[in-house]
Amino acid sequence: MTLDYYGYRKKFAVLVPSTNTAVELEYNKMRPEGVVLATRGCVIPPFKVTNEQQFVEMVKAIGAATEQGLRDALTCRPDHVIFGYSAETFWDGKQRSDREFARYNAIAQEIGGCNVTFGAQAIMDALKCYPGVKKIGVITPYMPVGDRQVVTFMQDIGYEVVRIQGHCSQGPVEIAHESFGKTRQLVREVDGDDVDLILQAGTNLYFTELAAQLECELGKPVLAINALTFWHALRSNGITDRIHGFGSLLSEHIAIPE
């Protein structure tokens, strides 16, 4: 078999909303030697999001563009496809999430002979690495309607969301404009002695390096969505490199627990 010249270990297709810039940059910062990333967009407009209905419309647009985006991504013949978004993967709870994951994974297997990493399922696998965790604080860039979807999903998989705070970013592009200072403040608002772990959703929110800093400061796991989906793709494909600077998940956990 002829391998991609630089992707002699694995070639990952990365599927993102076309408005997203953070996933590509953060994945490339975490990328080990011998892995290449082929970023492909699910094309959506650069929505303005000033209320909950507009947020729902944005999420629906991502969902509507996903299947074609996946089919386009599979043309590079990847070894694996990473879905670089999260809100749509939580929507309406675990039952729908499992159904959508199975549908997209079946398409990837049929056309490309490969599997996919889906945000919600990656979270379930990542949390197995922290067996004592039951109570979670969550930060997002979402409007409250999106936060409620995260809470529902986490409850469905057996975790209590003690507190959740969102940036209420004014559009999918603007998520990447949020400052580390403002994000730190949200973390402070959801943290406490009653919280075992901090989870961040929203893939266009830069957080992987900040998460590693916060783990040291808070003395508890802090999981960034882009770190955990990239971790899931690596470990699903037998790549066990310990990658430092992006949190304990990538540096300490070299396999997906059974």
Side-chain angles (χ1 to χ4, degrees):
M1 180 176 65
T2 302
L3 299 176
D4 187 284
Y5 183 77
Y6 285 109
Y8 53 85
R9 296 172 77 187
K10 291 295 174 183
K11 181 199 304 182
F12 292 155
V14 179
L15 191 61
V16 298
S18 57
T19 51
N20 188 306
T21 53
V23 168
E24 184 171 24
L25 184 142
E26 291 197 328
Y27 280 7
N28 273 295
K29 281 177 174 282
M30 297 182 284
R31 180 184 61 83
E33 191 70 23
V35 173
V36 295
L37 306 173
T39 305
R40 301 292 183 265
C42 296
V43 179
I44 66 168
F47 288 92
K48 287 295 182 184
V49 178
T50 58
N51 58 56
E52 295 200 340
Q53 182 56 40
Q54 289 172 338
F55 183 88
V56 171
E57 290 170 1
M58 178 187 72
V59 173
K60 287 181 177 179
I62 295 171
T66 294
E67 182 172 335
Q68 187 58 54
L70 174 59
R71 291 178 182 274
D72 293 344
L74 289 167
T75 61
C76 75
R77 299 179 184 169
D79 298 300
H80 195 83
V81 180
I82 313 175
F83 279 61
Y85 55 81
S86 55
E88 210 274 337
T89 75
F90 300 126
W91 215 259
D92 288 336
K94 183 179 185 297
Q95 186 175 19
R96 177 187 177 275
S97 181
D98 287 346
R99 185 172 65 248
E100 291 297 282
F101 169 72
R103 180 165 77 91
Y104 294 131
N105 203 58
I107 292 170
Q109 288 178 342
E110 179 183 358
I111 297 174
C114 64
N115 294 313
V116 307
T117 285
F118 208 51
Q121 280 64 32
I123 286 175
M124 289 190 285
D125 284 338
L127 287 173
K128 295 174 187 175
C129 295
Y130 304 92
V133 167
K134 296 297 180 186
K135 297 185 176 183
I136 296 177
V138 180
I139 66 163
T140 79
Y142 305 151
M143 289 284 177
V145 64
D147 291 345
R148 291 193 294 273
Q149 298 295 332
V150 177
V151 172
T152 296
F153 177 81
M154 297 307 294
Q155 290 173 340
D156 285 352
I157 65 172
Y159 295 89
E160 177 187 350
V161 175
V162 178
R163 285 176 290 279
I164 185 168
Q165 290 287 351
H167 277 285
C168 297
S169 299
Q170 298 296 290
V173 174
E174 286 76 12
I175 292 171
H177 302 174
E178 303 291 0
S179 71
F180 275 14
K182 186 178 174 184
T183 300
R184 275 183 170 276
Q185 178 59 39
L186 294 187
V187 172
R188 286 193 289 269
E189 291 174 14
V190 303
D191 189 29
D193 293 339
D194 54 348
V195 167
D196 303 318
L197 177 148
I198 303 292
L199 174 68
Q200 172 258 334
T203 63
N204 205 25
L205 182 67
Y206 291 107
F207 193 67
T208 55
E209 292 169 295
L210 179 57
Q213 297 171 23
L214 288 166
E215 280 195 334
C216 295
E217 295 170 17
L218 302 178
K220 65 183 65 175
V222 180
L223 300 187
I225 185 68
N226 290 340
L228 69 85
T229 50
F230 196 60
W231 167 85
H232 187 273
L234 292 173
R235 303 317 185 222
S236 296
N237 286 274
I239 297 175
T240 60
D241 301 43
R242 296 180 185 272
I243 301 170
H244 299 280
F246 306 96
S248 59
L249 188 65
L250 278 163
S251 63
E252 298 176 11
H253 300 281
I254 63 172
I256 298 173
E258 296 295 330

